[in-house]
Amino acid sequence: EIVLTQSPITMAASPGEKVTITCRASSSVSYMYWYQQKSGASSKLWIYDTSKLASGVPDRFSGSGSGTSYSLTISSVETEDAATYYCQQWSSTLTFGSGTKLEIK
Amino acid sequence: QVQLKESGPGLVQASETLSLTCTVSGFSLTSYHVSWVRQPPGKGLEWMGRIRSGGSTDYNSALKSRLSISRDTSKSQVLLKMNSLQTEDTAIYYCTRSGLGANYFDYWGQGVMVTVSS
């Protein structure tokens, strides 16, 4: 099973700051997927195929990476971005990262 | 529009069997895969298994011995059964959709909270 390790586990950012969330895989994966989950709600697809934004996702979000290292970046964070972000791979048995909780100061 | 809705008992006794239903609309079960994903309170996401558009199934090896996923295409329903429940199975259970060749979930249900009581 491929283990996905996200960092940081929690973070706080001020509006306008640049934010990067990292997801490291225990073995190489072909693509990475990202979901946004707001408190009390189900998850939403946010980024697919490593760098493609899901429908409706603001273009201040971007995804990148390859092999065992992937990242989600917000160029200028806004208050509505407060959420937990999960990475996911399906190169072998599907696994999720443990999540990164983003708080806005 | 695409919708998935989970239903089932909110409370189950330990050692008993959990039965959940995912009722879908806006797409056909013969054209998309449907997975079950669960989330214990305050914790992360765990993929449980899926039923493919063709009707075959894949399971998380950690749950395979206890889990069964089936479907009734005439009712647009996907069924989950998991036996020998323990308190650690307390979680929100979600059904999700993935497209053919797509290794991600583009739609999620609202989830159903299941508490396993000892």
Side-chain angles (χ1 to χ4, degrees):
Chain A
E1 173 179 297
I2 295 177
V3 176
L4 301 179
T5 302
Q6 288 185 234
S7 61
I9 296 172
T10 63
M11 66 183 306
S14 298
E17 272 189 58
K18 181 179 180 179
V19 165
T20 297
I21 298 170
T22 298
C23 180
R24 288 195 164 79
S26 59
S27 297
S28 181
V29 300
S30 300
Y31 294 98
M32 193 61 70
Y33 310 95
W34 295 87
Y35 300 88
Q36 181 196 68
Q37 185 179 43
K38 294 199 172 183
S39 181
S42 60
S43 298
K44 293 181 179 180
L45 177 67
W46 217 242
I47 295 174
Y48 66 100
D49 293 351
T50 301
S51 60
K52 299 176 182 176
L53 301 184
S55 177
V57 174
D59 62 6
R60 61 181 178 274
F61 285 86
S62 63
S64 64
S66 65
T68 61
S69 184
Y70 293 83
S71 62
L72 178 157
T73 298
I74 310 172
S75 60
S76 178
V77 74
E78 298 190 6
T79 55
E80 66 181 21
D81 301 334
T84 299
Y85 293 87
Y86 292 94
C87 56
Q88 174 244 307
Q89 65 79 29
W90 213 341
S91 290
S92 67
T93 300
L94 190 152
T95 53
F96 291 95
S98 55
T100 294
K101 185 175 183 178
L102 172 62
E103 298 174 341
I104 309 301
K105 296 177 186 175
Chain B
Q1 72 275 29
V2 172
Q3 290 188 322
L4 302 94
K5 187 170 185 178
E6 307 86 349
S7 59
L11 182 65
V12 183
Q13 296 299 312
S15 79
E16 293 189 346
T17 296
L18 173 66
S19 295
L20 297 176
T21 299
C22 174
T23 302
V24 310
S25 59
F27 69 97
S28 171
L29 293 178
T30 59
S31 298
Y32 289 86
H33 313 313
V34 172
S35 287
W36 287 93
V37 174
R38 68 179 180 175
Q39 184 172 34
K43 296 189 177 181
L45 301 164
E46 179 184 33
W47 178 73
M48 301 179 70
R50 71 172 172 181
I51 186 160
R52 299 186 189 220
S53 58
S56 62
T57 52
D58 304 290
Y59 297 112
N60 183 326
S61 58
L63 300 172
K64 188 173 184 176
S65 63
R66 301 196 288 139
L67 184 62
S68 174
I69 298 174
S70 61
R71 70 183 184 184
D72 184 336
T73 55
S74 67
K75 295 182 179 178
S76 294
Q77 292 180 335
V78 175
L79 312 173
L80 175 149
K81 289 188 185 299
M82 188 164 69
N83 60 30
S84 304
L85 287 182
Q86 301 300 318
T87 55
E88 307 87 82
D89 295 313
T90 293
I92 300 173
Y93 287 75
Y94 298 99
C95 57
T96 66
R97 187 187 88 158
S98 55
L100 302 185
N103 292 331
Y104 55 86
F105 307 123
D106 58 357
Y107 285 91
W108 295 60
Q110 64 189 20
V112 60
M113 179 68 201
V114 175
T115 300
V116 180
S117 172
S118 57

